Amino acid sequence: MQYIRSPQNKAETSQFLEENIAYYGKHPQFGRWVILEKATGTFMGSFMLRPSQIIPSNIELGYAFLKNYWGQGYATELVKNGLIYGFWKLKLPSIIAITHQENWVSKQVLIKSKFSPLDDIAENGRMVNLFQINKPIIETSRLLVAPLNFEELNLYLLEDGKFEKEVHFAYSGRSVIPEIKDRVKNLLL
């Protein structure tokens, strides 16, 4: 949690906790959540999805892991699933994220998760990097059309329901016409 705000005193911590509890009561779909290791229940860090305090008209995604969980892919896994929650469950049009300028690892996680860098902004007297991702979808009254990344396209072509599980869609027993499957594999894979 190297790049998270510095430790606070007891009064500041109590105020922060009270503000967050009050906020959760009004907006249960947003907030700060605990990250636990599924197998052991061990505390790993925290995840945040809530209106940004720097740019209040935007929803901000953030996370912090204890050092012994760094470098194991947890951040990328968390960000990708946080985006699924934000875009598909909450139907957000876009999500922002902020990193300290020297936090190269978090920048890489965001870029890998399809965030785009925007202009740097000031936060508490220092410049930080601002990233944004827009909901990657076309929506009509009857259709949802979403682009697939390489991994998702591979899963889609398998026709075994893994794609639907990955993107949290209901499996319909669909099939891909063999000629289409072969053409896509030859062109893209």
Side-chain angles (χ1 to χ4, degrees):
M1 297 189 188
Q2 177 178 357
Y3 297 102
I4 303 300
R5 69 191 159 280
S6 58
Q8 300 172 322
N9 64 37
K10 186 174 181 181
E12 292 168 332
T13 301
S14 294
Q15 180 182 349
F16 177 79
L17 183 59
E18 289 172 16
E19 288 170 1
N20 279 280
I21 290 170
Y23 184 85
Y24 299 149
K26 295 176 189 171
H27 310 282
Q29 73 276 26
F30 293 112
R32 299 175 195 276
W33 297 300
V34 65
I35 303 169
L36 301 175
E37 187 173 37
K38 241 181 175 177
T40 64
T42 303
F43 175 79
M44 298 171 67
S46 64
F47 173 75
M48 176 192 78
L49 190 66
R50 63 175 289 169
S52 174
Q53 294 179 325
I54 298 172
I55 310 171
S57 61
N58 287 268
I59 301 300
E60 181 180 342
L61 179 147
Y63 61 89
F65 282 96
L66 296 173
K67 190 171 187 172
N68 52 325
Y69 296 103
W70 294 0
Q72 298 178 49
Y74 289 122
T76 301
E77 179 181 345
L78 179 65
V79 169
K80 287 183 176 182
N81 284 281
L83 292 173
I84 289 170
Y85 175 76
F87 289 144
W88 297 100
K89 175 84 172 158
L90 301 180
K91 304 204 180 301
L92 300 172
S94 66
I95 297 173
I96 64 168
I98 295 167
T99 66
H100 288 220
Q101 291 183 325
E102 61 275 11
N103 190 349
W104 292 103
V105 174
S106 282
K107 291 180 199 182
Q108 289 174 331
V109 167
L110 294 173
I111 290 169
K112 185 177 183 180
S113 300
K114 307 287 192 266
F115 277 81
S116 298
L118 301 177
D119 291 335
D120 293 351
I121 59 171
E123 175 189 42
N124 299 324
R126 66 187 284 176
M127 296 305 289
V128 293
N129 300 129
L130 175 63
F131 292 82
Q132 181 175 358
I133 185 170
N134 295 318
K135 185 175 183 181
I137 192 162
I138 299 167
E139 187 171 352
T140 71
S141 61
R142 300 183 320 142
L143 302 173
L144 291 174
V145 181
L148 303 180
N149 64 32
F150 182 78
E151 180 181 318
E152 292 165 339
L153 183 58
N154 274 321
L155 288 174
Y156 184 84
L157 293 175
L158 291 175
E159 304 177 63
D160 59 2
K162 288 181 182 172
F163 167 77
E164 287 80 0
K165 185 176 180 181
E166 174 77 17
V167 297
H168 303 275
F169 288 159
Y171 181 58
S172 63
R174 62 169 175 76
S175 62
V176 179
I177 299 170
E179 295 82 18
I180 298 291
K181 185 186 287 189
D182 291 342
R183 187 165 182 199
V184 169
K185 283 183 176 180
N186 289 332
L187 288 172
L188 302 175
L189 307 176

